[in-house]
Amino acid sequence: MNFDTWFHKQSKVIQIVLLILPFIGWIMDLLVRWSAFLKKNSAVNLVMALVITFFGEFWILTVLDAVFIALNNKLFLEE
């Protein structure tokens, strides 16, 4: 699964727009987080993938990810 690679190849504006849209942002976050975990098998990636899976519908986490994309070019706590 190379969804995280595809996501990070997109322009910063496209990444932010994909994350800010309410339902689509949650789906994008899920796909990117689980793809990153499957690729790197990091404990941090697993924890964040589980948090997004169970609490991502609150939308604040995807907004936090959009802010981190704008500032750091990576998601919040992504390795």
Side-chain angles (χ1 to χ4, degrees):
M1 186 183 240
N2 291 326
F3 197 80
D4 60 329
T5 306
W6 173 84
F7 181 77
H8 291 300
K9 285 182 183 177
Q10 304 304 313
S11 71
K12 189 183 288 192
V13 173
I14 298 294
Q15 290 176 356
I16 292 170
V17 168
L18 286 172
L19 287 173
I20 287 180
L21 296 172
F23 183 70
I24 294 178
W26 181 56
I27 298 297
M28 293 298 295
D29 219 357
L30 277 174
L31 291 172
V32 172
R33 295 286 185 174
W34 282 108
S35 176
F37 168 69
L38 291 174
K39 189 181 290 184
K40 299 175 187 168
N41 289 333
S42 167
V44 173
N45 286 342
L46 175 62
V47 168
M48 286 308 295
L50 290 171
V51 166
I52 292 298
T53 300
F54 294 113
F55 301 109
E57 67 273 0
F58 295 121
W59 197 61
I60 190 71
L61 297 171
T62 55
V63 171
L64 182 66
D65 281 338
V67 169
F68 267 77
I69 286 283
L71 297 175
N72 301 327
N73 287 334
K74 68 176 195 165
L75 296 174
F76 177 65
L77 292 177
E78 180 188 34
E79 292 183 359

